[in-house]
Amino acid sequence: SQYKRDKIWMRRTAPVKRTYQVLIAVDDSLSMTNMGAAPHALDALAMLWKALQQLEVGEVGVMQFGGGTPASLVHPLDSPLSDASGAETLARFTFRGKAPVGSSGSIGPFQGMMEEALRSLGAARERSGWQAGTEILQLLLIVSDGRILGEQKQVERLVRESGAKGILPVLILLDYAQQQPPAPDAPGAAAGAAAAGAKGVPAHSILDIKSLTYEDGKPKLKCFIDTFPLPYYILLRDMAALPSFLADALKQWFELVAAQGS
């Protein structure tokens, strides 16, 4: 045989270095205030900011959407995380804007957010793409009450586009509507109050929303959450559980990424 054990055949592939880019999109609409989710959205953002800062995962950006104006970055991905910039970013959210409902010929708040997120993460990928031997992994965390009305099909299309581009969108669904204890004179009120705790039960929960669909030409009511356009979401009602939920979500994402790269 004329085969030679040349050094080029014995060269090992250099280990791939991973760069993480995380974009946090926060719903700044009046709906968040009406549903009682606004303060918890700020808590979630502050918690994510601190956790990602401590983990030093890479680049972190924050986007504002749903406030009646087009989605925009309030903290660019290429800006460092700090306590001062965190305070400035939190102060940008007012939760007073009236977001238009998506309809034919118009761009809804979630569609606009997804499109802007894809553009921002795409630009960040191109900016970091010059680094040889680097794998870029991108995560889109959406903090919202999940009222995606009239734009489900557009969001579904953008979710598929995100997956094709290697972006994982995850919704932190704040189902923490104004708490309403049962009426004291209502039958079973005492039992209901004990089961729900002192805080009562959520009013206008997203689990109570129905959506109209057509099967074989016949109208049918389904739970809105069953036709939700975002397949990956964390449903939160108890803010005390938020740290463990977020820790588990980030851990599973890192493990998934590691498994795919092995």
Side-chain angles (χ1 to χ4, degrees), residues 61-180:
V62 178
M63 177 176 290
Q64 182 182 45
F65 76 99
T69 57
S72 61
L73 288 173
V74 293
H75 181 82
L77 280 156
D78 56 353
S79 296
L81 297 180
S82 67
D83 293 342
S85 58
E88 292 175 2
T89 301
L90 289 171
R92 298 288 296 273
F93 294 92
T94 62
F95 305 102
R96 296 176 182 173
K98 294 184 178 181
V101 176
S103 60
S104 178
S106 66
I107 297 178
F110 271 84
Q111 178 185 354
M113 176 272 295
M114 292 288 295
E115 290 177 348
E116 183 60 30
L118 290 177
R119 281 193 292 267
S120 300
L121 288 170
R125 182 183 292 274
E126 290 182 2
R127 172 171 43 80
S128 304
W130 61 269
Q131 302 177 19
T134 299
E135 181 183 8
I136 301 172
L137 304 169
Q138 298 180 319
L139 176 67
L140 172 61
L141 292 174
I142 307 165
V143 181
S144 174
D145 60 3
R147 266 54 179 183
I148 305 176
L149 305 176
E151 49 179 333
Q152 287 91 333
K153 291 183 178 180
Q154 296 92 325
V155 174
E156 286 178 356
R157 173 181 58 81
L158 290 165
V159 167
R160 292 193 297 269
E161 186 178 340
S162 300
K165 295 182 177 181
I167 302 170
L168 178 64
V170 177
L171 173 64
I172 300 174
L173 182 52
L174 301 177
D175 194 35
Y176 204 80
Q178 301 289 345
Q179 301 293 328
Q180 292 184 350

Side-chain angles (χ1 to χ4, degrees), residues 24 26 32 36-51 90 93 95 143 172 174 176 236 238-240 242-243 246:
I24 307 169
V26 181
M32 296 284 284
H40 307 295
L42 293 178
D43 289 342
L45 176 56
M47 193 174 300
L48 283 168
W49 185 285
K50 199 67 177 178
L90 289 171
F93 294 92
F95 305 102
V143 181
I172 300 174
L174 301 177
Y176 204 80
L236 285 179
D238 182 8
M239 287 300 109
L242 183 57
L246 294 180

